[in-house]
Amino acid sequence: MKRCCVRQWDKVKRWLQSLSFRTGVIVLLCCIPFYILSFAQMLLPISATAKGVLWTILFGMAKTCQYGGLTILGVEGYNRLKSWIKRKKG
């Protein structure tokens, strides 16, 4: 059973890495609104249980976008994005 899960994860990882750099950046940037919403929903006048559920879902989506985007970008894409940010600042 474990071997099957590892193979499935490898398939997903290879598929994510086959996506374009631009797609990786877009997916990575999608984590920002989810992080904001995960904490902003605390201001809603709803029960603590509902807030906990919303926080778990939204924060989980933020982490999923973050790690998915990093997987798509890979090491080379990450270095490319880092150098682009440095050029914009400098």
Side-chain angles (χ1 to χ4, degrees), residues 36-53:
I36 293 169
L37 288 172
S38 69
F39 290 101
Q41 59 81 27
M42 295 294 179
L43 301 173
L44 295 174
I46 55 177
S47 71
T49 304
K51 287 180 184 183
V53 169

Side-chain angles (χ1 to χ4, degrees), residues 6-24:
V6 170
R7 273 189 272 145
Q8 287 297 95
W9 172 247
D10 286 340
K11 277 184 173 180
V12 170
K13 190 175 173 184
R14 278 194 303 276
W15 175 72
L16 287 172
Q17 289 172 336
S18 72
L19 297 173
S20 72
F21 177 82
R22 183 178 182 176
T23 302

Side-chain angles (χ1 to χ4, degrees), residues 33-79:
F34 283 119
Y35 277 125
I36 293 169
L37 288 172
S38 69
F39 290 101
Q41 59 81 27
M42 295 294 179
L43 301 173
L44 295 174
I46 55 177
S47 71
T49 304
K51 287 180 184 183
V53 169
L54 278 174
W55 185 85
T56 302
I57 292 169
L58 293 169
F59 197 77
M61 289 299 298
K63 285 297 184 183
T64 302
C65 289
Q66 180 181 359
Y67 294 134
L70 289 174
T71 303
I72 294 167
L73 289 175
V75 174
E76 185 175 332
Y78 173 74
N79 291 335

